Amino acid sequence: GFTSAKQYADDFIAFAKSMKAIDPTIKIGAVGYGEPHRRGDADNVDEWNATVVKTAGGWMDFLSLHYYYPAADRKDVSYASEQWFTAAMAGAHLSLAHMREIRALLDAYKPAAGPIRLAVTEYGIWPNDSTDARDYSNLARALHDADLLIGFLRDGRELGLTLATGWDLHSGTKEALIGYDWEKGRRIVRPQYHAFHLLRQHLGSQLHDMRMEGPTFSPPEMGLFKNVRAVPMLQGVASTDSTGHLTLAVLNRSLHVSLATTIRLVGYIASSRAAVQTLNGHTLGSHNEDGPAVAPATAAVTLPVSAEGTRASFSFTFAAHSLTLIELTAE
């Protein structure tokens, strides 16, 4: 944002015209701000997103957004503190709320060329003053990313989400999903890689409605992380694959409390035998920089399933600060 929103929009139109003249089918996106009403770094007057969309919306296919919540300096918060980790567990909730505001802006504009979609091209948490991978790549980051990806699966159609890409997969950077230590010649499979891989490997292609009721929490304010209230402790998505296996992916955002739940299934009678995948660690600061402290645990369990007609239910306790996938088979 080192220019005004209006100048950026004008430059984008010139670029888009030249690209569309070469290939009319090419998809071109403009850069937006994840915060709905933020002004550019060199613009004290115009809101960036609104100005770019109203000026250049007819030429853009998507708006590219980055989400790093929370992001803060060490003078404001310790990256090992409960305040920081509580905010990390609410980061995805805030990102999705901001995306809904931006979606409303795009829908209100309604360019003649067709709807503008959203693309999230970076996401994570951002302990701004740290150069230590243990602050960027820990269990908190893994659960944040899983939380955001579950939200994208659940709400992506409504949001008009066309893609979501993490930054980055494999490099020597402190936030990479797979880190590479050039001096020691070793790779580090980080917690956020495990979260991504679990969701990628175990969720089916058919999504189902999943409603959750339970306690909420409100994180502290820091930097741009403001006005976040009543964040649900539990977040989840349900899916089936081509063989009829039902997978429930559930995130417990609580720092300290395991949550005992009753799960009710409608139209699916599950066998009592289930496979459970869990990603957790001793604390939200647990990391893999010194060894594999955070890795998925797999267990075969017997659930107390009770059934009546086309409905079934069972109880399950989700551990504090965890991602759990319960894979069920039909009776």
Side-chain angles (χ1 to χ4, degrees):
F2 297 104
T3 183
S4 71
K6 184 64 169 62
Q7 183 61 57
Y8 172 81
D10 290 341
D11 291 344
F12 176 83
I13 291 172
F15 170 76
K17 284 182 177 179
S18 64
M19 294 298 291
K20 295 283 187 179
I22 297 170
D23 181 359
T25 68
I26 194 170
K27 302 299 181 183
I28 303 175
V31 175
Y33 271 117
E35 304 94 317
H37 305 292
R38 182 172 169 180
R39 292 177 173 82
D41 295 336
D43 194 336
N44 295 321
V45 178
D46 298 319
E47 288 188 6
W48 183 273
N49 290 337
T51 303
V52 170
V53 169
K54 289 176 182 177
T55 305
W59 289 94
M60 71 175 69
D61 298 293
F62 61 88
L63 187 68
S64 175
L65 306 172
H66 294 174
Y67 282 105
Y68 291 98
Y69 290 145
D73 296 332
R74 188 176 277 115
K75 65 179 177 59
D76 299 317
V77 64
S78 164
Y79 304 137
S81 67
E82 185 159 320
Q83 290 84 355
W84 173 256
F85 288 134
T86 303
M89 291 300 91
H93 183 81
L94 179 59
S95 296
L96 288 162
H98 280 178
M99 288 179 69
R100 292 185 191 99
E101 285 194 56
I102 295 171
R103 178 75 264 154
L105 166 68
L106 299 179
D107 290 344
Y109 176 63
K110 294 180 180 177
I116 300 170
R117 297 177 69 82
L118 294 178
V120 177
T121 49
E122 291 186 26
Y123 56 83
I125 62 174
W126 204 256
N128 189 51
D129 290 336
S130 177
T131 59
D132 191 336
R134 293 172 292 185
D135 292 328
Y136 288 84
S137 296
N138 50 31
L139 180 61
R141 162 73 189 282
L143 297 185
H144 165 277
D145 288 7
D147 198 350
L148 195 61
L149 292 171
I150 288 172
F152 289 165
L153 288 170
R154 187 194 62 210
D155 300 335
R157 187 184 298 274
E158 173 191 344
L159 292 169
L161 183 66
T162 189
L163 65 87
T165 57
W167 184 265
D168 52 16
L169 175 61
H170 182 210
S171 76
T173 63
K174 54 191 177 297
E175 68 273 8
L177 275 68
I178 302 174
Y180 187 73
D181 188 325
W182 294 94
E183 293 183 359
K184 298 179 180 178
R186 69 184 183 100
R187 286 181 173 83
I188 305 164
V189 179
R190 289 175 167 148
Q192 62 266 30
Y193 173 85
H194 290 305
F196 180 87
H197 190 256
L198 279 173
L199 296 175
R200 175 80 173 174
Q201 291 297 110
H202 295 282
L203 288 180
S205 59
Q206 179 64 47
L207 299 180
H208 302 283
D209 290 337
M210 187 173 184
R211 288 177 290 177
M212 311 189 81
E213 297 178 1
T216 63
F217 68 100
S218 297
E221 295 189 352
M222 58 183 73
L224 297 171
F225 198 85
K226 297 178 179 178
N227 301 319
V228 187
R229 302 286 184 271
V231 180
M233 289 289 193
L234 293 177
Q235 152 84 310
V237 66
S239 69
T240 49
D241 62 17
S242 58
T243 67
H245 286 86
L246 173 65
T247 298
L248 310 177
V250 178
L251 188 95
N252 182 357
R253 294 165 166 151
S254 174
L255 270 62
H256 305 296
V257 180
S258 296
L259 293 175
T261 67
T262 298
I263 297 173
R264 298 181 177 88
L265 307 175
V266 178
Y268 191 94
I269 305 301
S271 165
S272 61
R273 298 178 300 277
V276 176
Q277 309 271 345
T278 306
L279 186 68
N280 205 342
H282 183 61
T283 70
L284 282 166
S286 297
H287 56 83
N288 291 345
E289 303 307 305
D290 305 317
V294 180
T298 302
V301 302
T302 299
L303 299 171
V305 176
S306 61
E308 182 177 347
T310 60
R311 299 171 180 262
S313 63
F314 60 92
S315 59
F316 194 89
T317 298
F318 294 98
H321 52 66
S322 68
L323 170 66
T324 303
L325 281 79
I326 306 173
E327 299 181 40
L328 303 163
T329 56
E331 183 63 64

